[in-house]
Amino acid sequence: MLMRGLRIILPIALFLGLIRFWEWSVVYLEIPPFILPPPSAILAVFATDGASLLGSAWTTLGTTLAAFTLATVSGTALAALFASSRIAEAALSPYAVILQVTPIIAIAPLIIVWVGLDNAWLTVLILAWIAAFFPVLASATAGLKAVDPNLRDLFRLYRADFRQTFIRLMVPSSLPYLLAGIKTAGGLALVGAVVAEFAAASGNTDGLAWRILEAGNRLQIAKMFAALLLLALMGVVLYAILSFVEWLLLHRWHGDRRHA
Amino acid sequence: MSSGLRLDRLAKTFPNGTAALGELSADIEAGAFVSLLGPSGCGKSTVLRLIAGLEEPTRGRVGWPQTRGSLGFIFQEPTLMAWATATNNIALPLELAGMAKSEARERARVALEKVGLAGFADALPRELSGGMRMRVSIARALVADPDVLLMDEPFAALDEFTRGKLNDDLLRLWAERRFTGIFVTHSVFEAVYLSQRILILSGRPGRLVADIENPAPYPREPGYRTSAAFNATARDILDALEDVSTC
């Protein structure tokens, strides 16, 4: 119980201490605010530019969630296709890997040309989707292959058809793997959305990346920090929500699978 | 209900060249309890998989009276779905066969009571001990009332006490249902205690080296384990095993 309390109190205490030290050192060492603004100045930005920052955060969050949803659905669907057809897997999996290993920032100009500058939001969505897609595909494929061979035999013995085997055996078996991949995909969707905003959409969308660039050009460093703070917050909350969903779905039966 | 079967010069060589089973021929009567006994890796499990249709024989065939009898299979591991309750695990064969959920689960609950786990209907596998998981596995194998029950060293991983208890439970269920039981084991004493007949396999590829009757009547009580009749049958088997090379 004491340990548990410390696990919450210690990081918060450390955080407050560091903030205090930051504030103090900026003033004491006379660091100019266009190099490192004090925390109080960053907080003040939310009073002056809060509305525009939150609006941008809303845009980036929307893209992230849409890309994440697309990646989860398409990654799972393709993994299911791979599991049901070796031919499809042999034919398609190299392309999935190529899509994964090619840096999205390098694909960005091509996507812009294809989609058109008028649809910058679509470019960002596509790029963020590509970034988040692969971990879902890889983990779902691994999960679908990790089915206990004895259980598979049991289903064959009772003459289960593919649909029954898929829904009752393969999906639940692969769930722990899939959820781990989805958790990674959540973070990558955010990274992908911001990178894509930088690469493809400056001036054409109003995501947080654009606010960061804009503030940088005007040497509004405090505003840059404020935007970064919002991004970090979004990433943490997304990860926390996905971790909670994972816990909700798995904690009862996934405690120790070795003896199951 | 139960069904006999005939193993007709059954042989299996795996694609990698391993000859798992030589030519095995045996008639197994309906309602009999037969053990396949031999050292580990002698193709005993292969025989069960061939009977179950999980492998195709290289030569020979498994003959059934008319159609293939309905089967239950108990693996060496409990092989339960970790995400499903005891009841839902047991209901699986019925639901796969298309029975309505409510009826399947009702019958699963009855089956769970039969193996002494009435209070554990909603328990998940990880909440059960090794012996209890094996009981769930037995209940699942029997819930659809199979003609033939195939058992692949089901109690090998359990401690001596649990194993003895489950042997008795198994015999009681057999006496009630009269399925045809085919039990793979490498324990001489387990084979004697359970079976009417013991087929001894040797080799690699596995071959039938002895076919020993055990005339002791049922019900067999734990006292049978220390009786002269038990010793005599065990002696016969040990003599036959003298000639068997380990695999």
Side-chain angles (χ1 to χ4, degrees), chain A residues 109-232:
Chain A
L110 186 63
I111 306 284
I112 295 173
V113 171
W114 284 348
V115 176
L117 265 179
D118 297 338
N119 296 317
W121 62 272
L122 187 59
T123 306
V124 176
L125 179 64
I126 290 172
L127 291 170
W129 165 66
I130 291 173
F133 165 75
F134 196 76
V136 178
L137 173 67
S139 61
T141 305
L144 288 170
K145 282 184 178 164
V147 174
D148 177 355
N150 281 336
L151 272 175
R152 205 184 272 279
D153 281 345
L154 191 80
F155 274 70
R156 273 178 63 201
L157 186 77
Y158 290 120
R159 294 172 180 167
D161 58 33
F162 180 78
R163 198 183 57 86
Q164 288 173 320
T165 310
F166 188 75
I167 293 172
R168 288 169 172 271
L169 178 60
M170 295 171 80
V171 169
S173 296
S174 62
L175 204 58
Y177 294 82
L178 179 66
L179 289 170
I182 284 178
K183 221 161 62 171
T184 313
L188 280 179
L190 180 63
V191 171
V194 173
V195 168
E197 280 174 4
F198 272 123
S202 306
N204 294 302
T205 68
D206 61 346
L208 273 176
W210 171 239
R211 294 282 160 252
I212 290 174
L213 272 182
E214 187 187 50
N217 289 338
R218 297 174 189 171
L219 278 184
Q220 297 171 323
I221 308 300
K223 194 173 169 188
M224 284 176 88
F225 269 96
L228 281 175
L229 190 69
L230 283 177
L231 279 176

